[in-house]
Amino acid sequence: MLAAHGLPEDLSDEEMLLPARQIGRLLEASAKSLRCPDFGLRLAQLQDIRILGPIAIAIENARTVKEALDVVSKYMFVHHDGMSISTVPHRDGPGRIELCYGFRAGPQAAARQAIDLVLGGGHRILGLLGGENYLLHEVHLPYAPIAPPASYQRSFGVPVLFRQNKAALVVSGALLNAPLPHANESLRGMATDYLQKHFGAGRDGLIARVRLAIVSGLENSDASLAKVASLLALQPRTLQRRLADAGESFEAMRDDAMREAAWTYLRSSDMALSDIAARLGLSQQSALARSCKRWFGDTPLAVRRGALQAESPALSGSRARG
């Protein structure tokens, strides 16, 4: 099955980097083969922070949860080349925040098992880091349940809202300033120096950081050049120059991210077309229609209709093998 999804059969090298898109497809195929719709949720229960490698050392030795999340936001591309994490206020006020997970899922990627896995793993790791300061209120997923809703309730222990406009964990606002009990400045410095040396510079590091900053911006309806540059602590002109030196352009990268986000929203959510247009930074719904014609050769409704026609039968008949 590994070879069928473009992955090496020997995975013994712990430093091997695997493409997120192929991993997403492998998870979907595994869930289908095992007749286990909650495969991603189950797998999350078997993972701990050590799966993040050198990122884990920097996280565990951060002074606060916020500092740990900053490390994750900056270097997560080392572990997952298509994901970003950002923190935004919750609509209910300062008592809650949303930890939003952005995914760079291509048009052919079926990433719902991967998203279940990532949010389940994030919930588990935050519980270990935050201890009694970690209070999960809700989970948001941008698609219909792919497993019986009871499976999600067992995994998270809180209400899980489906068909939302983002993937997010809604947690207590006090979590960010919670101190971590085993912070070690020396170990943290060694880990971040290693990450910076190996992944913080050069073309690939820059492209990955810009791509994920764009995804984060789209999650919050602002992926402008100025916004993305500010997320990267750069001046807009400096960012454009560095991308040009790397053979890329900001406009092309943003267009790619918008195309992939549009596909995800249309295929995996029931968001209104006007809301999708606004989230992508498009001025009108008609602009979304023109963009979809350019990206997919079809209308937004036709793209969405294709997802509905591909929906599997009722989940009630699905079960995991013993």
Side-chain angles (χ1 to χ4, degrees):
M1 186 175 286
L2 290 171
H5 291 85
L7 296 168
E9 295 190 9
D10 182 4
L11 300 178
S12 58
D13 183 358
E14 294 184 357
E15 296 188 359
M16 183 183 300
L17 298 179
L18 302 175
R21 188 168 297 179
Q22 279 91 324
I23 293 296
R25 293 171 180 169
L26 176 63
L27 290 171
E28 294 292 331
S30 298
K32 183 177 181 180
S33 175
L34 295 170
R35 291 186 291 169
C36 182
D38 60 344
F39 182 72
L41 296 173
R42 293 191 185 198
L43 190 57
Q45 299 303 312
L46 302 177
Q47 296 184 341
D48 62 26
I49 196 170
R50 288 174 295 178
I51 196 173
L52 299 178
I55 300 176
I57 299 175
I59 291 173
E60 289 180 308
N61 290 283
R63 288 165 292 192
T64 65
V65 172
K66 182 182 184 304
E67 189 173 87
L69 289 173
D70 288 343
V71 171
V72 173
S73 179
K74 184 174 183 179
Y75 293 110
M76 181 51 73
F77 72 89
V78 177
H79 174 70
H80 190 305
D81 69 356
M83 187 177 78
S84 66
I85 299 178
S86 59
T87 304
V88 300
H90 187 57
R91 61 179 180 272
D92 289 347
R96 297 183 181 185
I97 57 173
E98 296 179 6
L99 300 181
C100 300
Y101 292 73
F103 297 89
R104 188 176 61 88
Q108 286 75 40
R112 292 178 294 180
Q113 290 289 345
I115 295 176
D116 280 1
L117 169 60
V118 168
L119 264 69
H123 168 53
R124 179 175 169 82
I125 290 173
L126 284 168
L128 295 173
L129 288 176
E132 63 182 14
N133 293 297
Y134 176 60
L135 180 59
L136 181 65
H137 294 283
E138 291 176 349
V139 177
H140 294 183
L141 291 172
Y143 41 77
I146 57 176
S151 298
Y152 290 93
Q153 180 66 34
R154 285 195 301 270
S155 294
F156 295 104
V158 298
V160 178
L161 308 183
F162 300 98
R163 300 183 179 90
Q164 302 299 299
N165 60 12
K166 64 181 71 173
L169 300 175
V170 180
V171 302
S172 169
L175 176 67
L176 292 182
N177 294 323
L180 299 188
H182 305 297
N184 183 306
E185 186 174 352
S186 178
L187 287 176
R188 181 176 68 254
M190 291 173 60
T192 53
D193 286 348
Y194 173 87
L195 291 167
Q196 181 65 26
K197 178 180 178 181
H198 288 83
F199 305 105
R203 179 188 184 280
D204 291 342
L206 171 67
I207 299 305
R209 292 197 304 276
V210 173
R211 180 186 296 128
L212 295 184
I214 291 173
V215 171
S216 177
L218 288 174
E219 289 286 338
N220 296 288
S221 303
D222 186 1
S224 64
L225 173 63
K227 178 63 175 179
V228 170
S230 70
L231 290 173
L232 299 172
L234 294 172
Q235 292 296 322
R237 288 186 178 180
T238 301
L239 175 57
Q240 287 180 311
R241 184 178 67 252
R242 291 187 181 180
L243 287 174
D245 291 343
E248 295 281 355
S249 77
F250 178 80
E251 290 74 17
M253 292 182 67
R254 181 173 59 185
D255 191 68
D256 285 345
M258 290 172 63
R259 181 191 71 242
E260 293 167 353
W263 181 273
T264 299
Y265 291 141
L266 290 169
R267 301 281 289 191
S268 303
S269 81
D270 57 2
M271 286 177 63
L273 297 184
S274 58
D275 291 339
I276 294 176
R279 182 160 291 273
L280 296 178
L282 299 172
S283 58
Q284 297 178 344
Q285 187 173 319
S286 59
L288 175 63
R290 291 192 297 272
S291 295
C292 283
K293 193 69 175 178
R294 175 168 58 87
W295 290 330
F296 312 124
D298 221 329
T299 66
L301 286 177
V303 174
R304 172 162 282 171
R305 193 176 301 119
L308 294 174
Q309 292 172 350
E311 280 287 324
S312 59
L315 289 168
S316 58
S318 299
R319 61 182 179 87
R321 288 179 176 171

